Amino acid sequence: MSAPFAQRLYLLRHFHASPPMPGQSDFQRDLDTRGMLQARSLLAKTGTAGLEFSKVFSSPSARTRATLRGMGIAEDDSRIEFVDALYDADEAVYYDLTCQGVQDGTLIVGHNPGMEDFLISLCREVDGVPPAMAGGLSTGVLAVLQVPRLAGAMRPGAARLEKLLLPDIA
């Protein structure tokens, strides 16, 4: 990677969740069978790609916690910081979270539409929308970004989309 883009940031939209059960809040929704299959598929792909996460910021919802477990990251892992603001966040929350700079290998696990809006804003130089995002940032998609190393440099257009890893199960 070149000097201005000296580190990676990973954005993972949670895996597919079940619809809410009667009396259950959106926050409490867990992964369904499709989401668990997505987790297995993406975990295999990240392992073969040699991706390592140094720090993890996650929404505290049930489905994002289950997404972490699906990626082989225990909830009590010292790398994790649960950030209440990531649940129902807009792109400004993602910018606020990253504006002080991020460690190389930071993973953020969150929700749409805020995560998708942040990704598109942060990577403006991408010509059009990547085919994998034509219908929006699908559940279980992991975006690998090259980001600036300097604190305060995280702003619209400041990053490059390196690749999108998609689970084999849509």
Coordinates of all heavy atoms in Angstrom, one line a residue, residues 12 15 27 31 35 39 46 78 93 104 106 119 126 133 135 139 142 148 157 163 167:
L12 N -18.2 -4.4 7.9 CA -19.0 -5.6 7.7 C -20.4 -5.4 8.1 O -20.7 -5.0 9.3 CB -18.4 -6.8 8.6 CG -19.2 -8.1 8.6 CD1 -19.4 -8.7 7.3 CD2 -18.6 -9.1 9.6
F15 N -24.8 -10.2 9.3 CA -25.4 -11.3 8.4 C -26.9 -11.2 8.5 O -27.5 -10.5 9.4 CB -24.8 -12.7 8.9 CG -23.3 -12.8 8.8 CD1 -22.5 -13.1 9.9 CD2 -22.7 -12.7 7.5 CE1 -21.2 -13.2 9.7 CE2 -21.4 -12.8 7.4 CZ -20.6 -13.0 8.5
F27 N -33.9 -4.7 17.8 CA -32.6 -4.8 18.5 C -32.3 -6.2 18.9 O -31.1 -6.7 18.9 CB -32.5 -3.9 19.7 CG -31.2 -3.8 20.3 CD1 -30.2 -2.9 19.9 CD2 -30.8 -4.6 21.4 CE1 -29.0 -2.8 20.5 CE2 -29.6 -4.5 22.0 CZ -28.7 -3.6 21.6
L31 N -29.6 -13.9 14.1 CA -29.4 -14.5 12.7 C -30.4 -15.6 12.5 O -30.7 -16.4 13.4 CB -28.0 -15.0 12.6 CG -26.8 -14.0 12.8 CD1 -25.5 -14.6 12.5 CD2 -27.0 -12.7 12.0
G35 N -28.4 -16.4 7.6 CA -27.3 -15.6 8.2 C -26.2 -16.5 8.7 O -25.0 -16.2 8.6
A39 N -22.3 -16.6 7.4 CA -21.2 -16.5 8.4 C -20.1 -17.5 8.0 O -18.9 -17.2 7.9 CB -21.6 -16.7 9.8
T46 N -12.4 -15.0 4.5 CA -11.5 -14.1 5.2 C -10.2 -14.9 5.6 O -9.1 -14.3 5.6 CB -12.1 -13.4 6.4 OG1 -12.6 -14.4 7.4 CG2 -13.2 -12.5 6.0
S78 N -10.9 -9.0 23.8 CA -10.4 -7.7 24.2 C -10.3 -6.7 23.1 O -10.2 -5.5 23.4 CB -9.0 -7.8 24.9 OG -8.1 -8.3 24.0
V93 N -22.1 9.1 12.3 CA -21.6 8.3 13.4 C -20.4 7.5 13.0 O -19.4 7.5 13.8 CB -22.7 7.4 14.0 CG1 -22.2 6.4 15.0 CG2 -23.9 8.2 14.5
D104 N -4.6 0.0 11.9 CA -4.6 -0.8 10.7 C -5.3 -2.1 11.1 O -5.0 -2.7 12.1 CB -3.1 -1.1 10.3 CG -3.0 -1.9 9.0 OD1 -4.0 -1.9 8.2 OD2 -2.0 -2.7 8.8
T106 N -8.7 -2.4 11.6 CA -9.9 -2.2 12.4 C -11.1 -2.7 11.6 O -11.2 -2.4 10.4 CB -10.1 -0.7 12.7 OG1 -9.0 -0.2 13.5 CG2 -11.4 -0.4 13.3
L119 N -19.7 4.1 3.5 CA -18.9 3.4 2.5 C -18.9 4.2 1.1 O -17.8 4.5 0.6 CB -19.3 2.0 2.3 CG -18.6 1.2 1.2 CD1 -17.1 1.1 1.4 CD2 -19.2 -0.2 1.1
V126 N -14.7 5.7 -6.6 CA -15.2 4.5 -7.3 C -16.1 5.0 -8.4 O -17.0 5.7 -8.2 CB -15.9 3.6 -6.4 CG1 -16.5 2.4 -7.1 CG2 -14.9 3.1 -5.3
M133 N -22.8 -4.0 -5.0 CA -23.7 -3.1 -4.2 C -24.8 -2.5 -5.0 O -25.5 -1.6 -4.6 CB -22.8 -2.0 -3.7 CG -21.9 -2.4 -2.6 SD -20.9 -1.0 -1.9 CE -22.1 0.1 -1.4
G135 N -27.8 -3.3 -5.5 CA -29.1 -3.3 -4.8 C -28.9 -2.8 -3.4 O -29.8 -3.0 -2.6
T139 N -26.5 -7.9 3.3 CA -26.1 -8.5 4.5 C -24.9 -9.4 4.2 O -24.8 -10.1 3.2 CB -27.2 -9.4 5.2 OG1 -27.7 -10.4 4.2 CG2 -28.4 -8.5 5.6
L142 N -18.4 -7.8 3.3 CA -17.3 -7.2 4.0 C -16.5 -6.3 3.0 O -16.0 -6.8 2.0 CB -16.3 -8.3 4.5 CG -15.0 -7.8 5.2 CD1 -15.3 -7.1 6.5 CD2 -14.1 -9.0 5.4
P148 N -6.5 6.6 5.0 CA -5.4 7.4 5.4 C -4.9 7.0 6.8 O -5.7 6.7 7.7 CB -5.9 8.8 5.3 CG -7.3 8.8 5.0 CD -7.7 7.3 4.8
G157 N -14.4 10.8 0.3 CA -13.5 10.6 -0.8 C -12.1 10.3 -0.3 O -11.2 10.1 -1.2
K163 N -11.6 -4.1 -2.1 CA -12.4 -5.2 -2.6 C -13.6 -5.4 -1.7 O -13.7 -4.9 -0.6 CB -11.6 -6.5 -2.7 CG -11.1 -7.0 -1.4 CD -10.3 -8.3 -1.6 CE -9.3 -8.5 -0.4 NZ -8.4 -9.6 -0.7
P167 N -20.5 -13.3 0.9 CA -20.7 -14.7 1.2 C -21.3 -15.4 0.0 O -21.9 -14.7 -0.8 CB -21.7 -14.7 2.4 CG -22.3 -13.3 2.4 CD -21.3 -12.4 1.7

